[in-house]
Amino acid sequence: MDAATITTWMTEIESSVRAEKDHLVQLDAAIGDGDHGTNMARGFEAVVQALAADTGSPPGRLLVVAGRTLVSTVGGASGPLWGSALRAGGRVLGDHATFDGDQLADVLAAALASVKDLGTASLGDKTMVDALEPAVEALRARLAAGDPVDAAIEAAGTAAEAGMRATIPLQARKGRASYLGERSIGHQDPGATSTALIVRALQRAVANRG
Amino acid sequence: MDAATITTWMTEIESSVRAEKDHLVQLDAAIGDGDHGTNMARGFEAVVQALAADTGSPPGRLLVVAGRTLVSTVGGASGPLWGSALRAGGRVLGDHATFDGDQLADVLAAALASVKDLGTASLGDKTMVDALEPAVEALRARLAAGDPVDAAIEAAGTAAEAGMRATIPLQARKGRASYLGERSIGHQDPGATSTALIVRALQRAVANRG
Amino acid sequence: MAVETNLMRKFLNEPALVVKQSLAGLAAAHPDLLRYDAAAQIVVRKDAPKKGKVALISGGGSGHEPLHGGFVGTGMLDAACPGEVFTSPVPAQMLAATKAVDGGAGVVHIVKNYTGDVLNFKLAAEDAADEGVKVTSVVIDDDVAVQDSLYTAGRRGVGATVLAEKIAGAAAESGAGLAQVTDTVKRVNERARSFGVALSSCVPPASGKPIFDLPEGEIELGIGIHGEPGRKRATLQSASDVVDVMVDAVISDLKPRSGSNLLVFVNGMGGTPLIELYLLYGEVDAKLRKAGLKPVRNLVGSYITSLEMAGASLTVLELDDELTRLWDAPVHTPALRWGV
Amino acid sequence: MAVETNLMRKFLNEPALVVKQSLAGLAAAHPDLLRYDAAAQIVVRKDAPKKGKVALISGGGSGHEPLHGGFVGTGMLDAACPGEVFTSPVPAQMLAATKAVDGGAGVVHIVKNYTGDVLNFKLAAEDAADEGVKVTSVVIDDDVAVQDSLYTAGRRGVGATVLAEKIAGAAAESGAGLAQVTDTVKRVNERARSFGVALSSCVPPASGKPIFDLPEGEIELGIGIHGEPGRKRATLQSASDVVDVMVDAVISDLKPRSGSNLLVFVNGMGGTPLIELYLLYGEVDAKLRKAGLKPVRNLVGSYITSLEMAGASLTVLELDDELTRLWDAPVHTPALRWGV
Ligand SMILES: Nc1ncnc2c1ncn2[C@@H]1O[C@H](COP(=O)(O)OP(=O)(O)O)[C@@H](O)[C@H]1O
Ligand SMILES: Nc1ncnc2c1ncn2[C@@H]1O[C@H](COP(=O)(O)OP(=O)(O)O)[C@@H](O)[C@H]1O
Ligand SMILES: [Mg+2]
Ligand SMILES: [Mg+2]
Ligand SMILES: [Mg+2]
Ligand SMILES: [Mg+2]
């Protein structure tokens, strides 16, 4: 996998976030302030533009640029969180022109670590962590078990969606939803939902690699 | 007719204005500010209380007290207009203990004159004048024709109601309704409507005289 | 009562007591500026009467807050007479206020042009004269949405009332005589024009029902401040289209000298927030400058309202040096304060 | 766009431009106080940077006007960073504002406690430090409706933000150093508590739909300022019942010394008019006095809003002599002005 994989990943995220924009807004309106869909769409639209301008950078560098772009265009909680996540993930790849499955797992693990570090959320707090952490673990486990990267990332997507659905019964402890206390129970977390979209987008990008 | 006739008249006005309160409010909401029913109800409730406290005054004096009470409790356009009207009407009777049909006509004529003087409205301006003026003329004409007072005041009520309905096609030239310009056309004037109630109340008071 | 309040999105106890309870709160919040005489239902400047100072009073129906009670204080009104919601006060209130503030130099009645206000103030002025108080009255009629004519009630008094109270209040504070203060009110009224639009109706507490029903996406053009419908209804346009209508209506009637200095007052009707009022001000300011006029002073906020109505009005006053100086003079009231 | 605006009772052009156009209007109305840097989307005090003066900046999502842009001026904020409606600004805005106002004495970031605001300000503070600017940050979290805990996002920052900006702004204006100004913000936050209620939702311009749907006759208790639903929903009670809930929530958490002096801030959410806010103030003032407390200062009006939401919040700050003196100190901003 190489720079094209990253560019495709970002384009895939942009189109699926745009397609799911209203759904994400509805989810956020129920337990937040109704802007998650707009925030993510605005951010990844800017990322796609930024990467279009960038020609010939290595994949790690592209992820850093994508992260910076999110930080500088999204605002809200998701901007700095996903922004730092992609920056951290990009640094893992350094200047390598290509990367393999294990390195991809390292990228996602670094992204997860930076989200948890910045946001201080743990599994079960009803945040994006609840989708991202199971995805990282599934990816690692399947690769360790010798599965090909496509199968492993497919499992990661399934794990992310399971984690996303698992947020429904939870009471939020982080983010705006936590202000609702028990009223946050019974609603799916918007950030976990967009995270599942992001992992599924990665799966398509990996599948389409040259 | 005597003081009791006046007291009964005011009590009759109070009950019919209270009964028609919402209707008067609706009419005023369409072309005014929706308080005519509340204003008239508040005013005549106070009048009835004031007259209950007053024992033994002659009829003219009672009308003056009623007028003062309206001025001091209603506010809005209808307060000073009906207040001055009753005061002017009361002065006509001086300290006489009783009055006949012609004197009653003089009372209503004086009331009309003071409304027109204070409000500078003429027939056709879509105001209470459009109900009061025909009532006064009908009363005078029937008495001149030798009709008994009951029949004459009955005719006055009919004339008042005709005048009231005749305000519907008019464009208002006075009062709040005038701000609507052509949009005031097609609505019945609230003040003309309450004026018809007041004349009908007088008819009942006259009929119930001892 | 529970039933009535349930029809509304209002903080309310007994609807019949809303005016009295709100005035009590105003007095509790501003004891340094004013007192509330509950018996007479008037709001009086704390240090009234001021010996030798011309006094200004105004009044009208409630529901237009901060007008008028919020403008009682140094450099503006000496007293306010609040009627029930949208119903003019009664002469007894104006008489009590007139006597409470008369410092011997006379009292100016600032009257918004509504039949009820005019008639009740007229009766009060007669009573005051009988009691030997020098009273002058000026009727404010700045609303260009109403076609004026000798045979009608004439134009409504709206936004110019706030400007007249501030500017004439400064003149009185600076020691001007009765004739001069009266003349100052008249000059503000002559040089000011207003036009208002509504995006919603409002709900009088007594009835608990909207006065008119305005579907979303429609707009009432040429409204007053009593929730009355406007001159015409249109479909909601963009803010800049609405500004075009307001500015054209006001300027074509005011006909200011080209290049003249203006005081621009963008007023909210009670339910429209500041983010929108400033957006409107930006459009108005730009449009006036394009027309070669100079907005040198402005007031942006909800100062003469119609309960919780969503909407706004534009008032433009053509300034001269004296009016500008009087506008800039210190004022200290609950709703307007500067220079002190 | 026509479609979107038709869903709303708002003065609006392109919904995506509402924040920029409103800020342009603010700057056009108050050129003597501030300027709007459209490129950086920040509002900066006209005479910034003030050499040797500690600077204060704040920011957050828009839709809370006059917060924060309306508080930029003498004796309050040096700059404001407005994000999109209900979305926190990005670090680039805070960095630009920090550099624009730094007079060498350091810059205090006043941050309302929302994850988005906190994280974006955190990244900005790191960048500013990299560029050699002394920055301190204080997070405001005064909303007692949110149960606090080590394991949650903690309480929201609401009404105390306005009081902290005014009081710390006065300290900075009077020459206090970075540590002292920072400490002043912290003290206000420690001694202030708030609680809010909504009678309606509000409509973000971007979506054109109410965030939650609140039937007439129901009320949301414990809301924030982003149109988010509250802790619980109840049927609308009388104003004095609502005041009981607000005062009890605030006082039981603040636990002021008996007989202590209070600053009482009754805030409108944007769509609730002054007649109701003063009615509420009257009830609050009386209830606090009954409880043996002394409301010696107050602020009544819509200063930290949630678009056009109908509702109100109560903020109580326990005063000491220094906080009182700083509150009374001159301030000159578009939304708060006295002593000058
Ligand atoms: N402390 C946190 N750690 C991890 N994720 C968080 C945290 N706070 C919020 N989130 C995620 O951010 C999402 C909300 O993002 P968004 O709506 O764009 O920002 P905002 O809440 O500022 O409006 C939530 O659904 C949640 O998944
Ligand atoms: N100048 C006038 N002359 C006579 N009647 C008038 C005049 N102005 C208004 N009215 C009457 O008063 C009525 C409205 O009374 P009301 O609603 O109680 O007062 P307001 O208009 O001040 O709210 C109108 O329907 C009209 O009949
Ligand atoms: Mg959100
Ligand atoms: Mg009326
Ligand atoms: Mg009325
Ligand atoms: Mg947000």
Side-chain angles (χ1 to χ4, degrees):
Chain A
M1 298 169 284
D2 56 16
T5 318
I6 300 301
T7 319
T8 315
W9 184 19
M10 296 301 135
T11 330
E12 288 291 333
I13 296 175
E14 192 278 329
S15 52
S16 71
V17 161
R18 180 155 34 78
E20 290 298 305
K21 182 176 165 182
D22 292 351
H23 179 223
L24 295 172
V25 162
Q26 284 159 23
L27 291 173
D28 195 36
I31 56 173
D33 59 352
D35 62 358
H36 186 58
T38 336
N39 291 347
M40 296 296 280
R42 184 172 62 247
F44 281 95
E45 188 185 338
V47 166
V48 168
Q49 282 170 14
L51 295 202
D54 184 311
T55 50
S57 298
R61 173 97 200 100
L62 292 181
L63 280 173
V64 170
V65 170
R68 288 236 179 89
T69 309
L70 288 180
V71 168
S72 63
T73 54
V74 174
S78 50
L81 288 166
W82 268 114
S84 318
L86 295 188
R87 267 149 61 174
R91 289 197 206 92
V92 167
L93 294 181
D95 288 339
H96 300 295
T98 64
F99 57 98
D100 63 16
D102 291 322
Q103 286 168 302
L104 179 57
D106 294 342
V107 167
L108 290 190
L112 171 63
S114 99
V115 166
K116 292 175 79 169
D117 170 61
L118 187 60
T120 71
S122 331
L123 200 67
D125 284 352
K126 197 178 184 113
T127 72
M128 53 176 71
V129 171
D130 295 343
L132 190 53
E133 187 157 317
V136 173
E137 280 163 5
L139 180 60
R140 276 222 191 289
R142 292 307 204 84
L143 291 170
D147 285 10
V149 65
D150 299 80
I153 188 73
E154 144 108 66
T158 311
E161 285 170 357
M164 165 191 90
R165 281 188 300 275
T167 62
I168 295 175
L170 297 174
Q171 173 168 342
R173 279 192 295 261
K174 286 287 192 288
R176 281 183 200 290
S178 66
Y179 305 140
L180 291 181
E182 294 176 350
R183 280 180 82 178
S184 64
I185 294 171
H187 299 275
Q188 182 169 303
D189 179 62
T193 309
S194 56
T195 300
L197 296 175
I198 289 170
V199 178
R200 286 298 189 193
L202 176 60
Q203 179 185 340
R204 292 193 294 281
V206 169
N208 298 347
R209 70 185 181 284
Chain B
M1 296 170 284
D2 56 15
T5 316
I6 300 301
T7 318
T8 316
W9 184 19
M10 297 300 133
T11 328
E12 288 291 333
I13 296 175
E14 192 279 330
S15 52
S16 73
V17 160
R18 180 155 33 80
E20 290 298 306
K21 182 176 165 182
D22 292 352
H23 179 223
L24 295 171
V25 162
Q26 285 160 23
L27 291 173
D28 194 35
I31 56 174
D33 60 353
D35 62 358
H36 186 58
T38 335
N39 291 347
M40 296 296 280
R42 184 171 63 248
F44 281 95
E45 188 185 337
V47 166
V48 167
Q49 282 169 14
L51 295 202
D54 185 311
T55 49
S57 299
R61 174 100 199 97
L62 292 181
L63 281 173
V64 170
V65 171
R68 288 236 178 88
T69 309
L70 288 180
V71 168
S72 63
T73 55
V74 174
S78 49
L81 288 167
W82 267 113
S84 317
L86 295 188
R87 266 150 61 176
R91 288 196 207 93
V92 168
L93 294 181
D95 288 339
H96 299 296
T98 63
F99 56 98
D100 63 15
D102 292 321
Q103 286 168 302
L104 180 57
D106 295 340
V107 167
L108 290 191
L112 171 64
S114 98
V115 166
K116 292 176 80 168
D117 169 60
L118 187 59
T120 71
S122 331
L123 200 66
D125 285 353
K126 197 177 185 113
T127 71
M128 53 176 70
V129 171
D130 295 343
L132 190 54
E133 187 157 317
V136 174
E137 280 164 4
L139 179 61
R140 275 220 194 292
R142 294 307 204 84
L143 291 172
D147 285 11
V149 64
D150 299 79
I153 188 75
E154 144 108 66
T158 312
E161 285 170 357
M164 163 191 92
R165 282 188 299 273
T167 62
I168 296 175
L170 298 173
Q171 171 167 342
R173 278 192 295 261
K174 287 287 192 288
R176 282 183 199 290
S178 66
Y179 305 141
L180 292 181
E182 293 176 353
R183 278 181 85 178
S184 64
I185 293 171
H187 299 275
Q188 182 169 303
D189 179 62
T193 309
S194 56
T195 300
L197 296 175
I198 288 170
V199 178
R200 285 298 189 193
L202 176 59
Q203 180 187 340
R204 291 193 295 279
V206 169
N208 298 346
R209 71 186 179 282
Chain C
M1 184 216 107
V3 181
E4 276 153 329
T5 55
N6 280 355
L7 291 168
M8 295 179 271
R9 301 183 184 277
K10 290 184 194 295
F11 296 105
L12 201 61
N13 296 314
E14 178 57 57
L17 297 180
V18 59
V19 171
K20 287 179 169 47
Q21 293 182 338
S22 183
L23 291 170
L26 175 73
H30 304 287
D32 52 323
L33 296 176
L34 50 83
R35 59 189 161 80
Y36 168 48
D37 177 340
Q41 192 159 318
I42 57 176
V43 176
V44 181
R45 178 172 163 169
K46 185 155 173 287
D47 55 3
K50 304 265 293 177
K51 186 115 216 55
K53 175 185 156 316
V54 171
L56 279 88
I57 78 169
S58 190
S62 292
H64 310 304
E65 292 66 22
L67 184 89
H68 294 278
F71 297 135
V72 172
T74 314
M76 209 160 168
L77 293 179
D78 294 84
C81 312
E84 290 309 307
V85 171
F86 293 166
T87 300
S88 25
V90 297
Q93 290 171 268
M94 295 107 165
L95 181 61
T98 302
K99 288 156 72 179
V101 300
D102 178 35
V107 180
V108 181
H109 289 185
I110 300 179
V111 184
K112 301 195 294 306
N113 189 32
Y114 301 96
T115 307
D117 294 29
V118 171
L119 297 183
N120 283 282
F121 264 103
K122 181 170 184 289
L123 298 183
E126 289 167 8
D127 297 349
D130 294 349
E131 305 202 18
V133 184
K134 282 181 255 116
V135 171
T136 64
S137 300
V138 183
V139 173
I140 304 290
D141 58 349
D142 55 312
D143 186 347
V144 301
V146 178
Q147 265 134 31
D148 204 355
S149 130
L150 261 182
Y151 313 99
T152 66
R155 291 175 162 180
R156 293 173 290 223
V158 285
T161 315
V162 176
L163 310 184
E165 290 174 0
K166 163 63 184 89
I167 289 172
E173 205 70 48
S174 72
L178 182 59
Q180 195 184 333
V181 174
T182 307
D183 176 66
T184 306
V185 179
K186 287 190 182 134
R187 274 172 51 220
V188 171
N189 186 53
E190 275 154 19
R191 299 314 303 144
R193 300 289 189 280
S194 300
F195 188 90
V197 304
L199 304 184
S200 81
S201 181
C202 57
V203 178
S207 73
K209 293 172 199 60
I211 291 180
F212 58 88
D213 132 291
L214 184 63
E216 264 182 327
E218 298 197 359
I219 179 170
E220 285 278 341
L221 297 170
I223 52 142
I225 54 172
H226 298 85
E228 62 266 57
R231 293 284 298 190
K232 67 195 257 278
R233 184 171 287 196
T235 55
L236 177 57
Q237 306 116 317
S238 70
S240 50
D241 292 344
V242 173
V243 164
D244 286 346
V245 173
M246 294 202 285
V247 171
D248 294 346
V250 165
I251 295 302
S252 63
D253 196 281
L254 179 63
K255 300 186 182 58
R257 283 169 294 93
S258 88
S260 58
N261 290 339
L262 306 180
L263 191 171
V264 177
F265 174 24
V266 170
N267 174 66
M269 299 307 296
T272 287
L274 217 39
I275 184 173
E276 295 174 52
L277 297 180
Y278 273 119
L279 186 149
L280 289 175
Y281 180 79
E283 305 266 351
V284 170
D285 182 275
K287 193 170 159 68
L288 290 172
R289 289 180 194 283
K290 259 203 224 72
L293 297 160
K294 300 206 199 72
V296 294
R297 297 289 185 279
N298 65 77
L299 182 66
V300 180
S302 297
Y303 294 101
I304 172 170
T305 59
S306 194
L307 292 172
E308 75 289 351
M309 172 182 275
S313 64
L314 169 68
T315 299
V316 174
L317 168 65
E318 183 172 16
L319 291 166
D320 57 32
D321 294 351
E322 193 200 4
L323 293 180
T324 308
R325 187 175 50 70
L326 292 169
W327 175 257
D328 291 343
V331 60
H332 188 179
T333 69
L336 279 190
R337 178 175 182 179
W338 56 75
V340 47
Chain D
M1 184 216 106
V3 181
E4 276 152 329
T5 56
N6 281 354
L7 291 168
M8 293 179 274
R9 301 184 184 277
K10 290 183 193 294
F11 295 106
L12 202 62
N13 296 314
E14 179 57 57
L17 297 180
V18 58
V19 171
K20 288 178 168 46
Q21 293 182 337
S22 183
L23 291 170
L26 175 73
H30 304 286
D32 51 324
L33 296 177
L34 50 82
R35 60 189 161 79
Y36 168 48
D37 177 340
Q41 191 159 319
I42 55 176
V43 176
V44 182
R45 178 172 163 169
K46 185 155 174 288
D47 55 3
K50 304 264 293 178
K51 186 115 216 56
K53 175 186 157 314
V54 171
L56 278 88
I57 78 168
S58 190
S62 292
H64 310 304
E65 293 64 25
L67 186 89
H68 295 279
F71 297 135
V72 172
T74 314
M76 210 159 167
L77 292 180
D78 293 84
C81 312
E84 290 309 307
V85 171
F86 293 166
T87 300
S88 23
V90 297
Q93 290 171 268
M94 294 108 165
L95 181 61
T98 302
K99 287 157 71 180
V101 300
D102 179 35
V107 180
V108 180
H109 289 186
I110 300 179
V111 184
K112 300 194 294 308
N113 189 32
Y114 301 95
T115 307
D117 294 28
V118 171
L119 297 184
N120 284 283
F121 265 103
K122 181 170 183 293
L123 298 183
E126 289 167 9
D127 296 349
D130 293 350
E131 305 204 15
V133 184
K134 282 180 256 117
V135 170
T136 64
S137 300
V138 184
V139 173
I140 304 290
D141 58 350
D142 56 311
D143 187 346
V144 301
V146 178
Q147 264 134 30
D148 203 356
S149 132
L150 261 182
Y151 312 100
T152 67
R155 291 174 162 180
R156 293 174 290 223
V158 284
T161 315
V162 176
L163 309 184
E165 291 175 0
K166 162 62 184 90
I167 289 172
E173 205 71 47
S174 72
L178 183 59
Q180 195 184 335
V181 174
T182 307
D183 176 65
T184 306
V185 179
K186 287 190 181 135
R187 274 171 53 220
V188 171
N189 186 52
E190 276 155 19
R191 298 314 303 146
R193 299 290 188 279
S194 300
F195 188 90
V197 305
L199 304 184
S200 82
S201 181
C202 58
V203 179
S207 73
K209 293 171 199 62
I211 292 181
F212 58 88
D213 130 295
L214 184 63
E216 266 183 326
E218 298 196 0
I219 179 170
E220 285 278 341
L221 298 170
I223 53 143
I225 54 172
H226 298 84
E228 62 266 58
R231 294 284 297 188
K232 65 196 256 277
R233 184 170 287 196
T235 56
L236 178 56
Q237 305 115 316
S238 71
S240 49
D241 292 345
V242 173
V243 164
D244 287 346
V245 173
M246 294 202 286
V247 170
D248 294 346
V250 165
I251 295 302
S252 63
D253 196 281
L254 179 63
K255 300 186 184 58
R257 283 169 293 93
S258 87
S260 58
N261 291 339
L262 306 179
L263 191 171
V264 177
F265 173 24
V266 170
N267 173 66
M269 299 307 296
T272 287
L274 217 39
I275 184 173
E276 295 174 53
L277 297 180
Y278 273 119
L279 186 149
L280 289 175
Y281 180 80
E283 304 265 352
V284 170
D285 182 274
K287 192 169 158 68
L288 290 171
R289 289 180 195 282
K290 258 201 225 73
L293 297 160
K294 299 206 198 70
V296 294
R297 295 291 185 278
N298 64 77
L299 182 66
V300 180
S302 296
Y303 294 100
I304 172 168
T305 60
S306 192
L307 292 172
E308 75 289 352
M309 173 183 275
S313 64
L314 170 67
T315 299
V316 174
L317 168 66
E318 183 173 15
L319 291 166
D320 57 31
D321 294 350
E322 193 199 4
L323 294 180
T324 308
R325 187 175 51 69
L326 292 169
W327 175 257
D328 292 342
V331 60
H332 188 180
T333 69
L336 278 191
R337 179 174 182 180
W338 55 75
V340 47

